[in-house]
Amino acid sequence: MANEPVGVLIIGAGASGAAFAWSIADTGASVLCLEQGPWMHQKDYPTNFMDWETRAMGPFATNPNVRGLAQDYPVNDSESPIQPLMFNAVGGSTILWAAHFPRFTPGDFRVKTDDGVADDWPISYETLEPFYAVNDRMMGVSGLAGDPAYPPHQPPLPPLPLGETGNIVARGFERLGWHWWPSDSAITSTEYNGRAPCINLGSCGSGCSQGAKASTDITYWPVAERKGVQLRTNCRVKEITVRPDGMADGVLYYDADGVLQEQKAEIVVLACNGIGTPRLLLNSKSTRYPDGLANSSGLVGKNLMHHPYALIRGIFDEPLHGRAGPGGCTFWSHQFYKTDPSHGFVRGYSYEGTRGMGPATTALWGMATGKVPWGEGHHVAFDRLNGHTAGMVGITEDLPDEANTVTLDPELTDSNGIPAPKVTYTLSENSRKQLAHAVERGTEALLAAGAIETYSEPLIKTAGWHLMGTARMGTDPKRSVVNEWGRAHDVKNLFIIDGSIFVTSAGVNPTSTIQALALYIADRIKQNMRNLFD
Amino acid sequence: MTMNTNPLADMAFMRAFLDTVIPPGRDGRMPGAGTLGLEGGISTAVESDARSGSLVRAGLAALAEAAASTGEAGGFPALDPAHRAKVLDDVLAEHPMLVNAVARHLYLAYYQHPTVLVAIGEPARPPFPEGFTVEPTDPELLAKLVSRQK
Ligand SMILES: Cc1cc2nc3c(=O)[nH]c(=O)nc-3n(C[C@H](O)[C@H](O)[C@H](O)COP(=O)(O)OP(=O)(O)OC[C@H]3O[C@@H](n4cnc5c(N)ncnc54)[C@H](O)[C@@H]3O)c2cc1C
């Protein structure tokens, strides 16, 4: 049976797809979302089980190449020092994310003007501000208002407790007179909209059994479905089809039984993340668009940005009980966020405070770093680490570079035979300097906090959780893929709403900005309904 | 044990090996890894570990052989703990990844075992549904932040 054509077809039910679906449903148009993954269930998350640390490294691993689930597609990352991470299900990568929820700062939208590098965004913080606020309410954000690093905003819920891990490191920042502030966290600190408060399970990165962490399957999707949005799971889109006039016609997708289906739509919206989206555009070749859809600029898949991460960890005499609590949500610091000529690099980075680890992870980390030996000295060394670590990560601003790409791998495919993406990425000299600075100064902060020993990794390999820039936004069709409200320059009924459209990356986690953008684009579509394709 | 048996299938050997990697704590608080019934699961995990299964098999065979060459009739399990550790240490010169390859599985099994969790002061239960308590934000720190609020 043929599928009924729909008004709006969204591909991908993650952070951006969910927010967009919820908003666009207001139009009364028929809205359908196709998602390659299934619904997740809180009862299946690792923290329900004794062996939660093992499960977190297997079926809930952050790297799709390690998980290898039916709904995952492989990513060839052999030419990248950073492994791309994601999750494929209703909720997308928010199923596994840490929910550290900073906004971009106003200056992040005008790096060319301020620092003479990369490009300015065609929109500003002020454009997104109302959508950040709506999104904070929908996701259920906890935080403390008044951070001097940001324009004023009021998180709807009180901040999460710092715990001893956060307290001890924050005292180090205080001693140095550095900026720090409790992070905005998309985790409920109190009961909120039917969601229970956080009970500090300590393994946000493998799914929240409590439902306190805002993954979009429990925030936006239930409300979007009540508004009439249809969500079809286990449906993997193979390509976007085009009409003879060059407009998008709909998609071809494989359903749960592996049968190729056709779905027609008036508007197609891409929300597959910074790797999935360029992959799909490049897989949508036609006589009219031989280089892939929306690619007349040649920029689809180019300018891939991550946030290269540095890890700085301290070992403390004091017991810190760090395995409990949201691991990535204590505080942030913008001390080294802005360009300062004395740093020797442009732009900057933020710090994100981190708590400790579970016992098994502590032992494995101890083995990998040579801090926990086998044999006689094992227990003493383990006791010194377990519950005694706290620290931070440095999140550096990655500048766009056309040589960092997502392309189609000539051989690798997913389980439906669709060509898989290949990531080619080189760490820039600027990022390298930022990372080294983050390690050096972060170590200083931990020593000021009283750490008896410090450990650092100047580049975390398994930290490609932010995927941006591969279908950038701009006003010039020769220098960008979508316009200033997410519409493809080449295909006027095709929109892109995920991190692909970022012009620059800022030095903070991207998801509140991704979702604010998705809401803003939905709003612009609603405003421009009458002349949407002009 | 004879030289041509698979050491991964010899549970007495495996118990002795695991007890050498994580021996009982001196004060009696921590159990040895060989006393918790983990050996079967570890053997299976190592056998199916595409990355290092063959490496571990070769290393354990070398360990069994080295133990036999000490003249101790009962092989590796019959050696006293200090002697076992010495023999293992010697074998690591030729098989440097042996312990780490096994420990990748062993540490997960050991540190999620209820007995071990209790011994290190953790509750022997999954994190959900009871969860954990986290200390509140230090009021002195909070007061400083409030004074800086924009
Ligand atoms: C371990 C981890 C920790 C993170 N922590 C943080 C954090 O603390 N703070 C923060 O801001 N961000 C964090 N992130 C990043 C955050 O999760 C992403 O920025 C965000 O989810 C991206 O939203 P998205 O909508 O672009 O893509 P996603 O949320 O990844 O969703 C994309 C969806 O598209 C689907 N899809 C892709 N291709 C197809 C296709 N062909 N057909 C059908 N469906 C398809 C996928 O299955 C997926 O569900 C983290 C990510 C990870 C993996």
Side-chain angles (χ1 to χ4, degrees):
Chain A
M1 200 178 78
N3 291 301
E4 278 290 303
V6 295
V8 181
L9 173 63
I10 304 163
I11 310 166
S16 59
F20 182 91
W22 169 79
S23 176
I24 206 71
D26 293 342
T27 57
S30 53
V31 183
L32 168 69
C33 178
L34 295 175
E35 165 55 50
Q36 67 187 340
W39 280 97
M40 301 303 291
H41 304 286
Q42 285 165 19
K43 68 175 177 44
D44 299 330
Y45 290 143
T47 49
N48 289 283
F49 305 94
M50 282 300 289
D51 62 345
W52 60 277
E53 290 184 272
T54 306
R55 288 171 194 247
M57 294 173 195
F60 288 87
T62 51
N63 186 334
N65 294 341
V66 173
R67 272 190 325 262
L69 301 177
Q71 67 263 29
D72 291 320
Y73 56 85
V75 180
N76 180 347
D77 59 11
S78 58
E79 287 182 28
S80 172
I82 299 175
Q83 294 172 346
L85 310 176
M86 65 182 83
F87 200 69
N88 300 307
V90 177
S93 304
T94 64
I95 297 293
L96 300 189
W97 74 325
H100 185 82
F101 213 56
R103 299 177 177 194
F104 278 19
T105 67
D108 292 328
F109 295 87
R110 38 164 215 262
V111 302
K112 178 89 173 175
T113 301
D114 288 357
D115 292 314
V117 291
D119 277 303
D120 288 350
W121 288 55
I123 56 170
S124 65
Y125 180 90
E126 289 68 32
T127 315
L128 290 187
E129 206 291 323
F131 303 99
Y132 276 126
V134 170
N135 193 47
D136 281 0
R137 288 197 293 278
M138 288 301 293
M139 294 290 275
V141 173
S142 302
L144 180 69
D147 182 352
Y150 279 98
H153 67 277
Q154 177 68 55
L157 297 169
L160 296 168
L162 284 185
E164 276 316 306
T165 46
N167 284 331
I168 202 162
V169 180
R171 283 186 207 111
F173 277 67
E174 277 295 326
R175 280 175 202 131
L176 295 171
W178 289 1
H179 170 266
W180 71 278
W181 203 261
S183 54
D184 284 2
S185 311
I187 295 176
T188 50
S189 54
T190 58
E191 210 165 289
Y192 183 74
N193 280 352
R195 277 161 61 202
C198 175
I199 52 169
N200 304 304
L201 300 174
S203 183
C204 308
S206 59
C208 180
S209 306
Q210 170 82 341
K213 185 184 80 171
S215 48
T216 57
D217 57 329
I218 60 166
T219 57
Y220 278 105
W221 274 116
V223 203
E225 286 198 311
R226 278 202 292 277
K227 282 172 146 188
V229 177
Q230 267 188 76
L231 175 52
R232 227 175 268 164
T233 55
N234 301 306
C235 293
R236 178 178 275 145
V237 176
K238 172 180 178 279
E239 65 178 274
I240 299 165
T241 51
V242 287
R243 305 195 308 233
D245 65 359
M247 298 279 270
D249 191 26
V251 300
L252 294 175
Y253 72 93
Y254 289 100
D255 69 14
D257 300 320
V259 177
L260 195 61
Q261 301 266 1
E262 184 175 32
Q263 177 65 58
K264 293 201 183 271
E266 286 169 44
I267 295 175
V268 175
V269 180
L270 269 165
C272 297
N273 81 33
I275 288 186
T277 284
R279 175 201 185 204
L280 191 45
L281 290 171
L282 293 172
N283 269 324
S284 303
K285 289 192 176 88
S286 59
T287 1
R288 172 137 190 167
Y289 300 114
D291 299 324
L293 197 58
N295 197 17
S296 66
S297 64
L299 290 174
V300 168
K302 295 199 173 143
N303 294 304
L304 171 69
M305 294 174 283
H306 295 297
H307 287 123
Y309 265 64
L311 171 76
I312 313 106
R313 187 172 280 160
I315 302 167
F316 294 82
D317 272 334
E318 297 85 340
L320 303 175
H321 321 121
R323 58 87 45 107
C329 293
T330 52
F331 67 88
W332 61 46
S333 167
H334 280 216
Q335 182 64 28
F336 304 107
Y337 198 69
K338 293 185 179 154
T339 298
D340 175 339
S342 74
H343 293 163
F345 49 81
V346 281
R347 306 296 295 163
Y349 58 90
S350 64
Y351 284 122
E352 168 185 337
T354 54
R355 299 183 203 250
M357 299 164 275
T361 313
T362 301
L364 290 171
W365 178 67
M367 174 174 78
T369 55
K371 294 184 191 304
V372 176
W374 64 272
E376 188 59 23
H378 180 86
H379 297 295
V380 171
F382 175 81
D383 285 346
R384 183 167 171 270
L385 295 189
N386 189 40
H388 289 269
T389 61
M392 66 197 98
V393 284
I395 306 170
T396 63
E397 175 158 354
D398 200 3
L399 292 170
D401 178 344
E402 286 188 23
N404 292 332
T405 58
V406 174
T407 52
L408 295 178
D409 190 274
E411 280 152 31
L412 199 64
T413 61
D414 63 25
S415 55
N416 293 114
I418 306 171
K422 174 178 181 181
V423 167
T424 306
Y425 179 91
T426 307
L427 189 71
S428 73
E429 205 38 45
N430 196 60
S431 294
R432 208 179 293 282
K433 286 180 184 164
Q434 290 183 339
L435 290 164
H437 193 271
V439 164
E440 195 182 315
R441 305 309 300 268
T443 303
E444 191 183 335
L446 290 178
L447 292 173
I452 51 171
E453 189 183 326
T454 61
Y455 167 85
S456 60
E457 272 173 42
L459 176 66
I460 311 178
K461 190 177 164 100
T462 51
W465 30 55
H466 303 158
L467 310 167
M468 300 160 287
T470 46
R472 71 207 303 248
M473 168 187 258
T475 47
D476 179 356
K478 291 201 180 67
R479 299 278 311 128
S480 55
V481 177
V482 298
N483 73 3
E484 68 279 15
W485 45 289
R487 190 179 73 180
H489 292 299
D490 302 349
V491 186
K492 291 195 168 149
N493 63 344
L494 176 69
F495 292 81
I496 306 178
I497 59 166
D498 57 50
S500 311
I501 63 177
F502 278 28
V503 180
T504 53
S505 71
V508 294
N509 315 50
T511 309
S512 70
T513 303
I514 290 175
Q515 291 183 299
L517 267 173
L519 292 173
Y520 155 72
I521 294 169
D523 189 68
R524 288 301 303 263
I525 292 175
K526 288 190 264 185
Q527 306 290 335
N528 293 336
M529 237 2 176
R530 286 239 210 94
N531 47 2
L532 199 56
F533 307 137
D534 289 353
Chain B
M1 154 169 166
T2 59
M3 266 345 91
N4 51 13
T5 54
N6 175 5
L8 283 166
D10 180 340
M11 291 301 134
F13 176 86
M14 284 302 292
R15 278 193 295 277
F17 174 65
L18 299 187
D19 238 13
T20 309
V21 177
I22 307 184
R26 283 206 174 159
D27 57 4
R29 180 176 58 99
M30 300 302 299
T35 61
L36 296 171
L38 304 175
E39 56 278 5
I42 299 297
S43 289
T44 310
V46 169
E47 286 283 14
S48 55
D49 186 332
R51 231 182 345 157
S52 50
S54 58
L55 183 153
V56 172
R57 266 192 303 279
L60 291 179
L63 182 65
E65 206 168 301
S69 72
T70 64
E72 173 56 69
F76 189 70
L79 299 176
D80 68 63
H83 201 169
R84 280 190 212 155
K86 166 83 176 67
V87 174
L88 175 54
D89 211 19
D90 291 345
V91 165
L92 287 180
E94 289 292 314
H95 299 271
M97 292 315 292
L98 170 61
V99 169
N100 282 15
V102 175
R104 283 201 303 122
H105 304 287
L106 175 62
Y107 287 4
L108 282 166
Y110 183 82
Y111 284 105
Q112 294 178 104
H113 192 283
T115 308
V116 174
L117 289 174
V118 171
I120 62 172
E122 293 281 346
R125 60 165 171 83
F128 187 82
E130 285 165 72
F132 302 99
T133 314
V134 156
E135 304 79 9
T137 302
D138 176 349
E140 269 186 45
L141 287 172
L142 203 53
K144 287 189 175 141
L145 294 176
V146 169
S147 74
R148 293 176 201 143
Q149 267 173 327
K150 195 166 93 175

